[in-house]
Amino acid sequence: MNQIKHIIFALAVIISFGSCKDDFLQKDPLDQVSEDVFFSTTSDLMLYVNQFYNPGNRLLDFGSSGGLNYNRTVFALDLATDNFINASVSPLLNGTRVVPASGGGWDYSLVRKVNYFFENYEHCKDPFDSYKQYVGEAYFFRALIYYKLLRTFGDVQWFSKVLDTNSPELMNPRTPRNVIADSILADLDKAALYMTAEKTSAGLRPNKWVALALQSRIALYEGSWEKYHAGTPFGVNGANPDKYFTKAAEAAGAVMESGRFQLYATGKPDADYYNLFVLPDYAANSEVLLWKKFDKGLGIVNYRSVSSDFPDGTGITKGLADSYLCKDGRPIATSPQFGGHGSLAAEMKDRDPRYAQTIFSPGMPWEIKGTDTTTWNQAVYAKLFNSSEYSTPTGYVIRKGYSAEFVNHDLSGGTEPVIFFRYGEVLLNYAEAKAELGQLTQAEVDRSIKLLRDRVGMPNLNVSAIEVDPDWDFPGLSPLINEVRRERRVELSLVGFRWDDIARWAAADEYIAGKRPKGIFYGEQFTKNPYPDDADGFMDPYQSPLPNGYGFQLNRDYLSPLPQTELTLNPALTQNPGWVQ
């Protein structure tokens, strides 16, 4: 415990540095301290690397609040996708973004900082084995920095050394995305080589297996992008998707074969999936590879549950709700167990238990005070649409990641931890990569998808007897690919993967363009509901602002535009497809 507190304190020190305008991390480090002096000890290297944990950098915390005070978005990173929406129409999905004058995410300040580490860490006078963990962490964070740039812009400039304002390399053109991806994966090879294989620091710092988990994620992303964007403006010259699928399967397979991880399960299929995301600590958790700890004494808090007491204008979509299979393992379009959409209770009955552990029903606890006082969620449903905080545009209220324990509803902030990497994702990365390679046999399903389904008591996926779902999102793809993608959508819902999956699958035509997100069957469930319903009786919150559906432009909006300032300063840079330069 003392070790954890020391780590949290060190991170707090770095974070406090990041908030000071005159801090040496915000300036050229050479202006403040000699590298021979600062990088002389292992502690110096750790302190320097700690700055990359700062949530303000948004490396581990994509989509989070961007500061010390985490809110519901840590568990609702799918916001503004086909899984989860709020009352406002997303500019990304609606194609209303514009070319920014400056900024827009085209930022290499962190690249320079991490490269500065690589140019100076060898000044350390301690034995290499004493500090190689921090060298590995630097490679890990450079991979994350560039992965963020790759996801946002595609082709970017690759810099592996410290540049000054007059360095000629600043005028380089963009490096092709597959070269960037190869460089990222190479960094992660080094990260895995140098970082410990042990779950040190109680899982608060990355290790070899976290590097391989990230490698499986990125390789799967690039392989999918190259395969499904082929022949479009986002296609890649010299594309080789199978190379990346193979790398993804190898990296995920190494984590699986290590024997160090297993899914969190206590034999309670109706509770274990939900409980995983509300546990108070992950130090000894067998599923969580990397997580964030909060400490009120250090002023590091979050507001996840207190800010999720009410729907507050957000809602899960019908698309996600309909993705869950029935308990017999069949889709709702064909299963005799499906109770229909007439009421939330009927819709939830006999469904994959992850449905009820992700979406609230009136009979679930809303606030638990000690051992003898429980307020049930009827209190919330009874007040829906009485005020903005009790409003939801879809009728489906998020439960996943929400702790009913009243102690976590402290207005001064809570200490609920946040998961960054978990074994469940690794299994899904492995299964999808193998499926894309045509190598997902029943034996491979049994060591990946079956484990996820076993946790919640669902039937296994039988690769030789997959029932045709007339509502498959991708009827042109194999039944196996469709079911692997369904499993991913359900298992990884609302924790930040959905937009990346849509983008890498080139699936905005199936999910976004010309479509509107729908909600629960209107019926008599919410008499005060101010939102319209569609011709079939389902909530249709964007009916008025989007009469023709989202305006997402398939030949433009998968990537963000480069800022105009950068294009003016460097004529060698080119704008992304579809954006006017």
Side-chain angles (χ1 to χ4, degrees), residues 5-255:
K5 285 187 174 292
H6 291 157
I7 291 168
I8 296 173
F9 178 74
L11 297 183
V13 170
I14 287 296
I15 291 168
S16 67
F17 283 168
S19 66
C20 299
K21 294 182 179 179
D22 296 327
D23 172 66
F24 80 95
L25 296 180
Q26 300 300 317
K27 294 183 178 181
D28 186 336
L30 290 173
D31 292 342
Q32 297 294 319
V33 64
S34 166
E35 62 272 16
D36 292 334
V37 174
F38 181 77
F39 289 98
S40 61
T41 69
T42 297
S43 295
D44 291 340
L45 302 189
M46 182 186 73
L47 184 63
Y48 190 90
V49 170
N50 279 353
Q51 68 180 294
F52 301 111
Y53 290 88
N54 185 343
N57 293 328
R58 304 183 78 169
L59 297 179
L60 292 168
D61 312 322
F62 287 135
S64 77
S65 58
L68 295 180
N69 298 330
Y70 287 65
N71 57 28
R72 73 164 65 213
T73 58
V74 170
F75 268 91
L77 296 177
D78 286 352
L79 187 64
T81 68
D82 64 327
N83 278 354
F84 193 68
I85 65 170
N86 59 18
S88 302
V89 175
S90 162
L92 165 64
L93 303 189
N94 199 30
T96 56
R97 294 180 297 168
V98 297
V99 177
S102 60
W106 188 267
D107 183 358
Y108 288 80
S109 58
L110 290 177
V111 173
R112 188 178 194 278
K113 288 178 180 179
V114 74
N115 285 340
Y116 185 79
F117 175 90
F118 289 126
E119 291 192 3
N120 290 286
Y121 77 83
E122 291 181 341
H123 291 292
C124 185
K125 297 178 175 61
D126 295 334
F128 180 70
D129 281 350
S130 71
Y131 64 79
K132 66 180 181 180
Q133 167 70 20
Y134 307 114
V135 178
E137 289 185 26
Y139 279 114
F140 174 80
F141 282 113
R142 187 165 70 179
L144 272 177
I145 293 165
Y146 264 105
Y147 180 44
K148 182 179 179 181
L149 289 167
L150 178 75
R151 291 161 61 249
T152 305
F153 299 106
D155 299 352
V156 293
Q157 296 167 297
W158 178 267
F159 300 128
S160 58
K161 67 178 185 178
V162 175
L163 302 182
D164 297 318
T165 55
N166 59 351
S167 296
E169 291 88 349
L170 290 173
M171 305 305 289
N172 286 349
R174 300 163 70 183
T175 303
R177 63 172 297 133
N178 54 344
V179 178
I180 297 293
D182 289 343
S183 299
I184 292 172
L185 298 177
D187 272 0
L188 290 170
D189 282 335
K190 294 175 182 176
L193 175 65
Y194 292 136
M195 288 196 294
T196 179
E198 304 305 317
K199 190 175 182 178
T200 57
S201 304
L204 296 173
R205 302 191 80 99
N207 61 12
K208 172 181 180 177
W209 312 111
V210 177
L212 291 173
L214 178 59
Q215 192 174 66
S216 73
R217 180 189 298 180
I218 296 173
L220 182 63
Y221 186 95
E222 183 59 23
S224 305
W225 186 283
E226 293 190 11
K227 178 175 181 176
Y228 292 104
H229 283 283
T232 76
F234 307 104
V236 178
N237 290 329
N240 187 1
D242 282 359
K243 177 181 79 170
Y244 296 104
F245 292 137
T246 299
K247 186 69 169 177
E250 289 175 350
V255 178

Side-chain angles (χ1 to χ4, degrees), residues 423-438:
Y423 190 49
E425 182 208 344
V426 173
L427 297 177
L428 289 165
N429 292 348
Y430 182 81
E432 185 178 345
K434 284 291 189 180
E436 291 289 0
L437 291 166

Side-chain angles (χ1 to χ4, degrees), residues 378-446:
Q378 282 98 332
V380 174
Y381 277 85
K383 296 180 180 180
L384 279 182
F385 307 109
N386 282 349
S387 64
S388 59
E389 67 180 6
Y390 281 100
S391 176
T392 169
T394 65
Y396 295 107
V397 179
I398 182 173
R399 183 186 183 212
K400 183 177 179 179
Y402 171 83
S403 173
E405 295 291 340
F406 194 68
V407 67
N408 293 318
H409 297 207
D410 189 340
L411 291 176
S412 65
T415 58
E416 299 160 273
V418 172
I419 300 171
F420 293 138
F421 288 86
R422 67 180 177 98
Y423 190 49
E425 182 208 344
V426 173
L427 297 177
L428 289 165
N429 292 348
Y430 182 81
E432 185 178 345
K434 284 291 189 180
E436 291 289 0
L437 291 166
Q439 299 172 1
L440 188 61
T441 63
Q442 188 63 53
E444 299 289 16
V445 166
D446 291 350

